[in-house]
Each structure stands twice: as structure tokens, then as C-alpha cells.
């Protein structure tokens, strides 16, 4: 359990809270004393989050939301803000990953990734702005990726969506700076999550697996330099949740319009 209590009295909405980094962020913020609404498309995933929250579950509320659908987002955010009594921190962790040869990627597949990742982040953020304006030290933490600025083979749709999120984060940070709403993003790389593991309803419908004939020599440029226990390739989602918690807390009061890369030194 975190010894920090930066979220005591803070009201937080986390999308993608049913698995992976989103779930880890929910649990980290609960451990720091926050009141949290976890939103996810997977009801089963949300039940798992509640089970893992233990006694802190009394400060946790869940809502099933499809972030790619405007009405679902509107209803879910309204429910979240009503339960919380306002909103201080928004964490847009929900997303999907699809890996495929570019020329074999269908228009529907490409649009689906952008719809969930980029448009979903837009919808949730837009619906949350009025409550954030009235919040205390309001902050938004979006999820970009190392793929937004470094080459990740077979992930063109994902990379495009994450680059869009990163650019949008910068634009929003400036637009809302006078109102004191901070916008930052994290850039995870080589992190074990619902997307990389293929867990969660939304993730399974997209499919994170690499093409059967993928050229693994292309991945030598995106290998972490820091060692992990047991020779693991991916770091745990807690490595990102810790940074999310910092950026969404009052500790980061002078940080906005930037991103933090969490990739084990892959791109030093």
C-alpha cells in the first residue's frame, strides 16, 4: 500500500479501469486515499477491480461505458460525477491495440482503433470539462505511447491514434491553462497490460497478437535497457500507475502540456 496520501478528498474518474494499467491506476489512487469511479466496457473486469480493491472498495464505484459511443460516454460520465459529487482528476486509460501488416489492415479495423483510442479520449474529456472546471486542482492524464514518436512495426493504427492523443493533449493544455486545468500524458512502452496480454472484452475483440510472419529483428530498436526480474520483457502496470498518480495529483501543480515516457530506457 502506498504511504502517500495525495488523493485524500480527491474525486477521480479512470477509464479502462477493469484491467491492466487502468486497473492498476484505480488501485494506486485508492491506496492514496482517493474516491474513484472505474469505467470500463467489461463488467467482469470491473468486478475484478472491486475484488482487488478490498476494504478500499467503499470508496470505489464502477460504471460500464463504451467510450467509442457518445451516448454511453455521456451517461457514464454523468453517473460518475453524480456519485463523486464533482471531479478533480480524469485518467483516460481505456484503449485497444491491433497489430497487423499495414496493407492487410482493413478500413474498419483502422477506424475502430482510432474510434476507441482517440475519439474515446475526446468524448470522455469533453463530457468531463464542466466538472473539472469546478474541481480542485483539476488534472487530466491521457494515455499516449512510445509508438506515437518511435517506430513500432505492425502498429500503424495504434501509433496514429496515440500520436493524435499526444497532440490533442498539448492543444488542450494551452486552451485550458487560464482555467487551471492541467493536461499531460504518459508514454508507456514494454508494459504488461490488458492490451499486450490480450485480456478484457474490448482488447480481445481487436486482437493484440503480432502477425504470424512478423519479423522480430524489427523489434531490436524497442527493447528496454533496464533489466527486469526473471528476464521478463514487460514491466508491470504498477510502473505506469505510479506516474499517473503523480501527474493527476497536486504534486504536479506546475506540470502541463507534456508527456512522461515509461519504457525502461528503450529510447535513451
Amino acid at each position: 500500500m502506498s504511504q502517500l496520501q495525495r488523493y485524500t478528498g480527491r474525486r477521480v474518474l479512470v477509464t479502462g479501469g477493469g484491467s491492466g494499467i487502468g486497473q492498476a491506476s484505480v488501485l494506486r489512487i485508492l491506496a492514496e486515499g482517493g474516491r474513484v469511479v472505474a469505467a470500463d466496457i467489461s463488467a467482469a473486469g470491473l468486478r475484478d477491480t472491486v475484488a482487488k480493491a478490498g476494504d478500499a472498495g467503499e470508496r470505489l464505484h464502477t460504471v460500464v461505458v463504451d467510450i467509442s459511443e457518445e451516448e454511453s460516454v455521456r451517461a457514464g460520465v454523468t453517473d460518475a460525477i453524480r456519485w463523486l459529487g464533482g471531479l478533480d482528476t480524469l485518467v483516460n486509460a481505456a484503449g485497444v491495440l491491433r497489430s497487423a501488416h499495414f496493407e492487410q489492415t482493413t478500413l474498419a479495423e483502422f477506424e475502430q482503433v482510432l474510434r476507441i483510442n482517440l475519439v474515446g479520449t475526446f468524448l470522455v474529456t469533453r463530457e468531463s470539462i464542466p466538472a473539472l472546471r469546478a474541481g480542485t486542482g483539476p488534472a487530466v492524464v491521457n494515455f499516449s505511447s512510445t509508438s506515437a514518436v518511435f517506430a513500432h512495426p505492425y502498429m500503424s493504427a495504434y501509433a496514429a491514434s496515440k500520436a493524435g492523443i499526444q497532440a490533442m493533449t498539448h492543444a488542450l493544455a494551452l486552451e485550458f491553462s487560464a482555467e487551471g486545468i492541467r493536461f499531460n500524458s504518459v508514454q508507456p512502452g514494454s508494459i504488461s497490460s490488458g492490451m499486450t496480454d490480450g485480456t478484457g472484452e474490448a482488447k480481445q475483440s481487436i486482437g493484440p497478437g503480432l502477425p504470424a510472419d512478423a519479423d522480430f529483428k524489427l523489434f531490436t530498436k524497442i527493447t528496454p535497457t533496464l533489466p527486469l526480474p526473471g528476464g521478463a520483457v514487460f514491466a508491470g502496470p504498477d510502473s505506469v500507475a505510479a506516474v499517473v498518480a503523480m501527474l493527476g495529483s497536486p504534486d504536479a501543480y506546475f506540470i502541463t502540456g507534456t508527456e512522461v515516457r515509461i519504457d525502461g530506457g528503450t529510447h535513451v
Side-chain angles (χ1 to χ4, degrees), residues 15-62:
T15 69
S19 66
I21 301 171
Q23 184 183 76
S25 297
V26 169
L27 298 177
R28 174 63 185 249
I29 292 169
L30 285 172
E32 292 201 27
R35 295 180 66 235
V36 182
V37 172
D40 202 285
I41 196 171
S42 170
L46 291 173
R47 288 193 295 271
D48 181 60
T49 301
V50 170
K52 290 176 178 174
D55 292 342
E58 64 184 16
R59 289 182 279 108
L60 174 64
H61 177 65
T62 63

Side-chain angles (χ1 to χ4, degrees), residues 53-75:
D55 292 342
E58 64 184 16
R59 289 182 279 108
L60 174 64
H61 177 65
T62 63
V63 57
V64 175
V65 175
D66 179 350
I67 64 166
S68 70
E69 296 296 333
E70 187 171 23
E71 289 307 313
S72 180
V73 169
R74 184 170 289 125

Side-chain angles (χ1 to χ4, degrees), residues 2-213:
S2 173
Q3 299 302 306
L4 297 172
Q5 291 294 293
R6 295 175 292 192
Y7 282 84
T8 300
R10 285 187 74 79
R11 302 158 295 182
V12 184
L13 170 59
V14 181
T15 69
S19 66
I21 301 171
Q23 184 183 76
S25 297
V26 169
L27 298 177
R28 174 63 185 249
I29 292 169
L30 285 172
E32 292 201 27
R35 295 180 66 235
V36 182
V37 172
D40 202 285
I41 196 171
S42 170
L46 291 173
R47 288 193 295 271
D48 181 60
T49 301
V50 170
K52 290 176 178 174
D55 292 342
E58 64 184 16
R59 289 182 279 108
L60 174 64
H61 177 65
T62 63
V63 57
V64 175
V65 175
D66 179 350
I67 64 166
S68 70
E69 296 296 333
E70 187 171 23
E71 289 307 313
S72 180
V73 169
R74 184 170 289 125
V77 172
T78 298
D79 182 349
I81 292 170
R82 183 185 300 117
W83 187 85
L84 290 166
L87 187 62
D88 304 310
T89 297
L90 168 64
V91 178
N92 283 306
V96 293
L97 169 65
R98 186 178 194 299
S99 302
H101 287 290
F102 178 74
E103 73 275 18
Q104 294 171 6
T105 301
T106 67
L107 177 59
E109 290 167 341
F110 195 91
E111 288 182 336
Q112 187 178 29
V113 173
L114 264 65
R115 179 77 187 182
I116 294 171
N117 294 356
L118 180 56
V119 176
T121 297
F122 155 72
L123 289 172
V124 176
T125 303
R126 188 190 66 182
E127 295 304 311
S128 299
I129 287 294
L132 287 166
R133 275 199 180 102
T136 301
V140 178
V141 183
N142 289 331
F143 270 62
S144 181
S145 163
T146 52
S147 68
V149 289
F150 300 101
H152 284 48
Y154 313 115
M155 301 180 191
S156 55
Y158 182 74
S161 71
K162 293 302 184 176
I165 289 171
Q166 190 162 308
M168 182 169 66
T169 300
H170 282 249
L172 294 176
L174 183 58
E175 182 173 345
F176 291 96
S177 58
E179 298 182 68
I181 307 176
R182 297 184 297 102
F183 287 83
N184 293 292
S185 62
V186 289
Q187 284 185 333
S190 299
I191 306 294
S192 177
S193 69
M195 286 188 291
T196 59
D197 299 340
T199 58
E201 291 175 13
K203 290 79 175 178
Q204 290 175 334
S205 68
I206 298 292
L210 292 169
D213 60 346

